[in-house]
Amino acid sequence: MISEEIKVANVKCSGCANSIQTKLMHIQGVSKVEVDIDNDTVNVEYSEDSIREELISKLHAMGYPEATEENGLLLQLKSYASCMIGRMNK
């Protein structure tokens, strides 16, 4: 099992955290997802190295890019949409 902390941008609230947890847990091989809103991190446990790329891609598509990526307006807007969905699904 691989355990990793991924530093991301645009995490603002529990709605964001709920969306991230829900989406990442649907990836086959992911066994645990915890979001630390205060530190802008996503802690993930997964079974294979190849899953990391899918995690980063899914986070990016939701508007939560890895902190090392460029964070433009479009990604920020996507994160607001993901946040609203997370709040509605709580």
Side-chain angles (χ1 to χ4, degrees):
M1 192 63 58
I2 300 166
S3 182
E4 180 175 6
E5 179 180 274
I6 303 170
K7 184 88 168 152
V8 295
N10 301 331
V11 177
K12 297 170 278 312
C13 66
S14 62
C16 297
N18 187 43
S19 287
I20 290 169
Q21 288 172 324
T22 301
K23 293 287 186 179
L24 297 188
M25 285 301 295
H26 282 106
I27 297 173
Q28 188 172 0
V30 173
S31 59
K32 184 177 178 183
V33 177
E34 294 178 346
V35 180
D36 184 338
I37 298 166
D38 294 330
N39 293 308
D40 298 324
T41 58
V42 179
N43 297 296
V44 188
E45 288 185 7
Y46 52 96
S47 59
E48 301 173 25
D49 285 336
S50 60
I51 293 174
R52 186 183 196 285
E53 188 174 314
E54 189 174 353
L55 292 167
I56 299 302
S57 177
K58 181 69 75 176
L59 286 165
H60 187 273
M62 294 173 58
Y64 305 106
E66 201 167 7
T68 57
E69 291 184 56
E70 185 174 327
N71 184 22
L73 181 59
L74 180 59
L75 288 175
Q76 292 174 34
L77 293 173
K78 284 182 180 181
S79 75
Y80 282 109
S82 294
C83 177
M84 286 187 286
I85 290 168
R87 285 176 181 245
M88 290 188 298
N89 291 332
K90 273 180 111 176

